[in-house]
Amino acid sequence: MKAVYTELHRSHDPQFYLVRGVVKRTTEQPERADRLLAGLKVGNHELVAPTHFGQEARARVHSPEYLNFLEEAWEAWAALGDAGTEMIPNMHPVRHAATYPTHIVGRLGWHTIDTSAPIGPGTWEGACAATDVATTAAQLLLDGEDAAYALCRPPGHHAYRDIASGFCFMNNSAIAAAHLRQRHERVAILDVDVHHGNGTQGIFYERPDVLTISIHADPAHYYPFVWGYAHERGAGAGLGANLNIPLALKSGDDTYLKAFETAAKTIHAFAPGALVVALGLDASEHDPLKGLSVTTPGFRRIGGAIARLGLPTVFVQEGGYLSDILGQNLTAVLAGFEAAR
């Protein structure tokens, strides 16, 4: 399986992370990519540089106002003269009868849900590179590859059409799916990150052509807290095209694989032409965020289960944070997929 990667992700190096009122260094660090690259090396995966797809691919998913904001944000922030080294919102308008702001502080609040997506001087470059990585992996499928892996950083599945949150700025998995939709009438997104893919759900919630499924830690006790419940099934034309499978905290391999069986039945019934896997590795028993308890052999089983769906598949990297076993878990997922193919 080919793996798409670029060093441009390193321009995004966030520092700020607020955890229960305590400021810490974020777990979404450039070093994540180094550990994932080590896992790819063990698996003998060929690295491919991304093609530059530009705004066209991003604009299939994100609004013009949001893309303009992200591109202009740092320069406008720096021009204030007395601003900090990262853009952290101090307001989050709920948009009830609200007017879109023109001031950068107002726009920052408008386009963010929480404080965990700090914008720095290199964030736009890094986020754009991630969308090119995801789109290139999707294009590899359109060009005839059976599967491809996109090492995206920053991740994307918490990003909505016009909102950043949870380390995410642009929704790489959604962008990959939208690119695949150019050829396939229906595409499925299977999110196996420990957190609910709330941004992905929001983007496609009223669309019948993209099935969104997320297996994740129960949001009653875990981020994002207000999305990810089983009763959220889509709306309008998209009713029934969203499936959430929340799991009890610390659930392990067998519970996870049982949930996967439910997801697989839904995917088969939807009959998509291609599959995007939003590949979070933070369900690991060793991940610092401690949501679920999937083992490294469990990740190999997950990879095999994905392969048995029998679909052209793009793996888009989402979560998975700094642990000694991060690279091994990536190796395990991809090896399990390839062995069962």
Side-chain angles (χ1 to χ4, degrees):
M1 185 190 309
K2 292 179 180 178
V4 187
Y5 173 72
T6 175
E7 286 281 300
L8 292 176
H9 76 90
R10 296 188 189 280
S11 69
H12 175 63
D13 188 9
Q15 304 295 311
F16 182 93
Y17 186 35
L18 187 63
V19 183
R20 300 186 182 94
V22 179
V23 176
K24 300 181 179 181
R25 172 76 193 278
T26 179
T27 51
E28 208 295 281
Q29 301 174 23
E31 186 184 346
R32 292 181 60 227
D34 297 330
R35 300 195 183 197
L36 293 166
L37 283 170
L40 292 174
K41 183 177 180 180
V42 171
N44 295 314
H45 296 281
E46 176 188 352
L47 293 184
V48 176
T51 300
H52 178 67
F53 285 90
Q55 289 286 70
E56 181 180 359
R58 298 187 276 270
R60 295 190 190 110
V61 167
H62 295 290
S63 72
E65 294 84 2
Y66 183 57
L67 293 174
N68 288 338
F69 161 73
L70 290 176
E71 185 173 13
E72 300 167 356
W74 181 255
E75 184 177 350
W77 180 263
L80 294 176
D82 58 352
T85 56
E86 289 186 304
M87 297 177 67
I88 312 296
N90 63 356
M91 57 173 297
H92 300 287
V94 293
R95 304 189 183 190
H96 291 305
T99 299
Y100 185 73
T102 57
H103 194 282
I104 187 58
V105 174
R107 293 170 74 196
L108 176 61
W110 184 276
H111 289 300
T112 52
I113 288 174
D114 56 40
T115 60
S116 58
I119 296 173
T123 297
W124 171 247
E125 180 184 17
C128 286
T131 68
D132 282 338
V133 167
T135 309
T136 300
Q139 185 62 43
L140 286 173
L141 260 64
L142 298 182
D143 291 341
E145 295 286 338
D146 184 54
Y149 167 77
L151 203 173
C152 293
R153 202 198 143 259
H157 74 149
H158 294 308
Y160 287 80
R161 183 173 182 269
D162 64 348
I163 301 174
S165 70
F167 309 151
C168 302
F169 302 91
M170 288 184 279
N171 197 308
N172 306 312
S173 292
I175 289 169
H179 192 71
L180 291 169
R181 272 286 291 111
Q182 294 184 106
R183 180 173 303 172
H184 298 288
E185 183 178 349
R186 291 181 301 280
V187 174
I189 301 176
L190 173 62
D191 193 320
V192 297
D193 192 284
V194 74
H195 303 97
H196 174 244
N198 55 306
T200 311
Q201 172 178 295
I203 287 167
F204 296 112
Y205 205 62
E206 297 185 9
R207 287 178 53 172
D209 57 328
V210 178
L211 172 68
T212 49
I213 299 179
S214 182
I215 306 172
H216 51 269
D218 189 344
H221 308 286
Y222 206 69
Y223 186 93
F225 298 107
V226 295
W227 299 282
Y229 295 89
H231 67 264
E232 298 161 16
R233 300 182 55 243
L239 183 62
N242 185 79
L243 174 64
N244 290 327
I245 309 177
L247 303 178
L249 297 186
K250 303 300 181 183
S251 292
D253 297 354
D254 291 342
T255 300
Y256 200 101
L257 269 296
K258 187 175 179 61
F260 190 95
E261 292 176 6
T262 300
K265 291 177 182 177
T266 303
I267 292 170
H268 285 309
F270 187 71
L275 174 69
V276 175
V277 177
L279 183 61
L281 298 170
D282 42 7
S284 168
E285 61 182 342
H286 297 294
D287 193 88
L289 300 186
K290 302 294 183 186
L292 299 177
S293 298
V294 175
T295 67
T296 299
F299 278 112
R300 186 180 177 95
R301 291 170 64 191
I302 291 169
I306 292 169
R308 286 187 288 274
L309 293 171
L311 294 166
T313 302
V314 177
F315 291 89
V316 177
Q317 188 63 53
E318 295 289 354
Y321 301 99
L322 295 181
S323 71
D324 292 338
I325 209 164
L326 177 59
Q328 296 175 48
N329 288 339
L330 177 59
T331 304
V333 170
L334 299 185
F337 179 90
E338 292 178 328
R341 215 44 169 165

